[in-house]
């Protein structure tokens, strides 16, 4: 097998669109056995699947009619060409993806997991330099893109804020982008104006990734969010098709929910409940885009009780920095996603997500900290997934994804098995 057992099985289940229970039944084993085959190779309970299962699964994957479309897309060249914008290898919007290409990217992200979990190292991007240009506040996106590039063997040059860049001297986006392109091999850009990253991208032929353009999009965040949902659903034995997804908070200015809603719409028959304070509703053009894609049900609400029956609650921060003349009314404590709320309206298999940062200041009513030791809170698993997904984005855009598997060596140090003191036992396992 060219890839690890975990990568092979996760990819097979995604391609066949089967839950763990159904997949185990189809292969003729107990769900418990399948779970042990899906653990990372070094973990104590890991078991190798029998050779006959490998051959059988390979055969059903190859024969499945659903797979015809994958076969076609594989024949039509590398992933980076299929998601290119105007022939360039850039990531500006989630609209560049279809369901097959997004799942192909996730296969690369799965491949990256041993590196992201500090079991392996790779140097496939040795010598390459990333320019991280952040003209707006950022912790996660900037550091995780940088760390992802470093974990593939590259190095990173950063610039943060307008004050310390030549833009403060009146330099145009075109000049900045063209000049930087002479220094680095890829750029990640965050900028407060919607559409500005596309403008940077037009001035260069090197890979550009949109790290957030005002209230526009945040494609890498949406990709890691979808990857998190699929991974959590796999553990819980659920399929994304037909799921109930609730988004709460500032849906007007929250770029993460703009990108995520469009990406989720690539799946079938979802129910979306969009709960916002008055005046911060999801923009109409995005709702129309989603409604056109498939037979989804979209409900809009101002009442948090409508989280009832959700499979996923995706909470967001109020983006006050983007307000023009809005008055924030009705954003009271009743609007806070908390343990009491999910205990009242949801079951033990709901997952609670947030792109972070959550505003923990008094009166902000952002996602409550009282869920911190509750395994339904997936926010740190979600943030951790930023590394393998962003590594996959770089590997694909720079065309090295096929070199990764053979480039891996064991790490020389010993990281702790769980990174956070309140991590769930399954954190990092599936
Ligand atoms: N970190 C996310 C973003 O940059 C969410 C947020 O800031 O609230 O859009």
């Amino acid at each position: 097998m060219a890839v690890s057992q975990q990568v092979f099985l996760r990819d097979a289940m995604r391609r066949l669109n089967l839950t763990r229970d159904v997949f185990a039944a189809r292969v003729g084993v107990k769900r418990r056995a399948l779970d042990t085959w899906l653990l990372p190779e070094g973990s104590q309970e890991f078991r190798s699947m029998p050779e006959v299962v490998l051959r059988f699964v390979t055969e059903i994957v190859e024969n499945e009619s659903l797979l015809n479309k994958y076969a076609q897309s594989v024949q039509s060249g590398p992933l980076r060409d299929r998601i290119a914008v105007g022939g360039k290898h850039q990531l500006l919007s989630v609209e560049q993806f279809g369901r097959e290409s997004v799942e192909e990217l996730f296969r690369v992200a799965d491949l990256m997991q041993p590196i992201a979990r500090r079991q392996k190292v790779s140097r496939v991007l040795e010598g390459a330099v990333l320019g991280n240009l952040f003209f707006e506040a950022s912790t996660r996106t900037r550091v995780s893109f940088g760390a992802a590039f470093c974990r593939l063997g590259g190095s990173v040059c950063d610039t943060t804020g307008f004050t310390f860049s030549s833009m403060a001297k009146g330099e145009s986006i075109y000049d900045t982008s063209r000049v930087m392109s002479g220094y680095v091999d890829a750029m990640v850009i965050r900028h407060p104006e919607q559409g500005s990253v596309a403008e940077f991208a037009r001035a260069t032929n090197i890979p550009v990734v949109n790290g957030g353009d005002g209230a526009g999009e945040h494609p890498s965040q949406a990709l890691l969010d979808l990857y998190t949902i699929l991974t959590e659903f796999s553990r819980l034995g659920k399929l994304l098709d037909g799921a109930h997804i609730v988004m709460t908070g500032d849906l007007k200015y929250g770029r993460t929910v703009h990108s995520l809603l469009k990406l989720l719409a690539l799946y079938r028959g979802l129910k979306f409940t969009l709960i916002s304070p008055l005046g911060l509703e999801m923009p109409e053009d995005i709702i129309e885009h989603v409604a056109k894609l498939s037979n989804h049900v979209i409900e809009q609400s101002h009442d948090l009780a409508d989280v009832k029956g959700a499979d996923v609650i995706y909470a967001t921060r109020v983006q006050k920095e983007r307000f023009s003349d809005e008055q924030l009314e009705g954003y009271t404590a009743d609007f806070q996603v908390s343990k009491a709320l999910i205990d009242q309206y949801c079951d033990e298999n709901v997952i609670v997500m947030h792109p972070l940062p959550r505003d923990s200041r008094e009166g902000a009513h952002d996602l409550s900290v009282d869920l911190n030791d509750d395994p339904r809170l997936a926010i740190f698993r979600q943030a951790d997934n930023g590394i393998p997904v962003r590594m996959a984005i770089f590997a694909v855009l720079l065309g090295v994804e096929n070199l990764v598997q053979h480039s891996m060596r064991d790490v020389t140090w010993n990281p702790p098995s769980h990174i956070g003191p309140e991590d769930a036992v399954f954190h990092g396992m599936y």
Side-chain angles (χ1 to χ4, degrees):
M1 200 173 9
V3 293
S4 74
Q5 188 171 293
Q6 191 185 47
V7 172
F8 172 80
L9 288 170
R10 279 167 69 149
D11 187 51
M13 285 189 292
R14 249 189 330 250
R15 287 177 179 228
L16 298 166
N17 206 25
L18 297 178
T19 61
R20 285 188 189 204
D21 287 318
V22 178
F23 186 80
R26 188 131 173 216
V27 175
V29 294
K30 293 230 160 61
R31 160 78 195 262
R32 175 84 197 102
L34 176 62
D35 284 347
T36 62
W37 301 344
L38 273 158
L39 291 168
E41 249 143 69
S43 78
Q44 250 186 6
E45 301 201 354
F46 168 82
R47 296 285 173 276
S48 286
M49 65 180 171
E51 180 67 28
V52 62
V53 175
L54 171 68
R55 271 190 265 121
F56 180 52
V57 173
T58 309
E59 202 171 304
I60 43 177
V61 164
E62 276 167 8
N63 287 336
E64 190 70 38
S65 63
L66 190 75
L67 271 231
N68 291 339
K69 60 176 195 230
Y70 288 96
Q72 277 161 16
S73 56
V74 168
Q75 279 157 16
S76 57
L79 178 55
R80 67 176 184 164
D81 291 342
R82 276 176 282 125
I83 58 166
V85 208
K88 295 185 189 180
H89 299 133
Q90 300 178 331
L91 173 57
L92 306 179
S93 162
V94 291
E95 290 181 38
Q96 292 166 240
F97 286 92
R99 180 164 170 171
E100 306 88 65
S101 50
V102 96
E103 291 185 358
E104 222 175 304
L105 181 82
F106 292 164
R107 184 173 191 276
V108 182
D110 282 348
L111 268 179
M112 300 298 186
Q113 285 289 12
I115 308 175
R117 291 178 188 150
R118 295 91 151 160
Q119 291 145 357
K120 300 278 178 189
V121 287
S122 166
R123 315 264 337 144
V124 275
L125 286 185
E126 186 159 23
V129 178
L130 172 71
N132 241 346
L133 276 64
F134 279 68
F135 301 103
E136 225 187 25
S138 174
T139 306
R140 258 153 303 278
T141 309
R142 185 168 55 83
V143 176
S144 67
F145 265 121
F149 207 80
C150 291
R151 288 198 186 275
L152 287 171
S155 29
V156 183
C157 295
D158 266 307
T159 158
T160 44
F162 285 100
T163 333
F164 298 108
S165 94
S166 283
M167 284 196 152
K169 300 179 184 171
E171 189 169 50
S172 68
I173 286 185
Y174 185 94
D175 286 4
T176 308
S177 178
R178 173 59 192 87
V179 169
M180 286 298 295
S181 311
Y183 303 158
V184 298
D185 302 288
M187 288 190 276
V188 178
I189 298 157
R190 170 170 287 187
H191 193 282
E193 266 163 54
Q194 190 163 344
S196 54
V197 180
E199 203 180 328
F200 269 97
R202 280 194 289 277
T204 180
N205 288 331
I206 69 167
V208 168
V209 179
N210 181 358
D213 61 325
E217 280 220 35
H218 196 343
S220 66
Q221 176 73 47
L223 288 165
L224 76 90
D225 291 341
L226 175 58
Y227 181 78
T228 303
I229 294 172
L230 292 173
T231 313
E232 298 282 321
F233 275 21
S234 166
R235 173 177 61 79
L236 295 166
K238 294 184 181 182
L239 286 182
L240 182 49
D241 291 319
H244 180 194
I245 313 286
V246 174
M247 294 180 175
T248 70
D250 184 350
L251 307 184
K252 179 176 181 183
Y253 292 115
R255 55 191 170 202
T256 65
V257 278
H258 299 168
S259 293
L260 181 59
L261 187 58
K262 290 197 248 180
L263 205 53
L264 285 167
L266 297 175
Y267 286 75
R268 283 190 302 260
L270 278 87
K271 176 176 172 193
F272 294 109
T273 305
L274 308 176
I275 310 175
S276 67
L278 267 176
L280 294 182
E281 292 83 8
M282 180 67 74
E284 256 323 297
D285 59 318
I286 300 179
I287 295 193
E288 277 162 26
H289 173 95
V290 170
K292 264 191 256 143
L293 281 179
S294 176
N295 56 335
H296 303 301
V297 174
I298 308 171
E299 283 169 4
Q300 302 205 63
S301 154
H302 299 294
D303 182 357
L304 216 49
D306 290 327
V307 299
K308 197 169 182 354
D311 293 297
V312 176
I313 299 174
Y314 190 100
T316 63
R317 178 181 66 88
V318 175
Q319 315 273 302
K320 283 210 180 107
E321 68 274 29
R322 302 199 199 293
F323 280 22
S324 39
D325 49 5
E326 285 88 347
Q327 298 300 325
L328 191 57
E329 278 166 28
Y331 206 76
T332 59
D334 301 349
F335 224 89
Q336 185 169 40
V337 175
S338 63
K339 189 165 167 52
L341 180 95
I342 66 167
D343 282 346
Q344 185 176 356
Y345 294 109
C346 304
D347 68 16
E348 71 286 357
N349 286 337
V350 65
I351 57 165
V352 180
M353 299 174 67
H354 191 298
L356 302 180
R358 59 179 155 171
D359 189 342
S360 302
R361 288 170 293 194
E362 185 100 356
H365 308 310
D366 202 343
L367 174 62
S368 170
V369 293
D370 69 359
L371 281 159
N372 278 11
D373 59 359
D374 189 319
R376 293 175 292 185
L377 187 77
I379 57 174
F380 298 116
R381 304 194 285 279
Q382 179 186 0
D384 286 355
N385 282 335
I387 296 288
V389 171
R390 290 182 168 125
M391 288 170 83
I393 292 170
F394 286 133
V396 165
L397 292 180
L398 292 155
V400 298
E401 72 270 34
N402 294 330
L403 304 178
V404 173
Q405 182 67 29
H406 294 292
S407 72
M408 289 195 225
R409 290 184 289 107
D410 289 344
V411 292
T412 49
W413 69 97
N414 248 334
S417 65
H418 284 77
I419 305 299
E422 293 182 318
D423 287 358
V425 274
F426 52 79
H427 191 144
M429 287 294 163
Y430 296 106

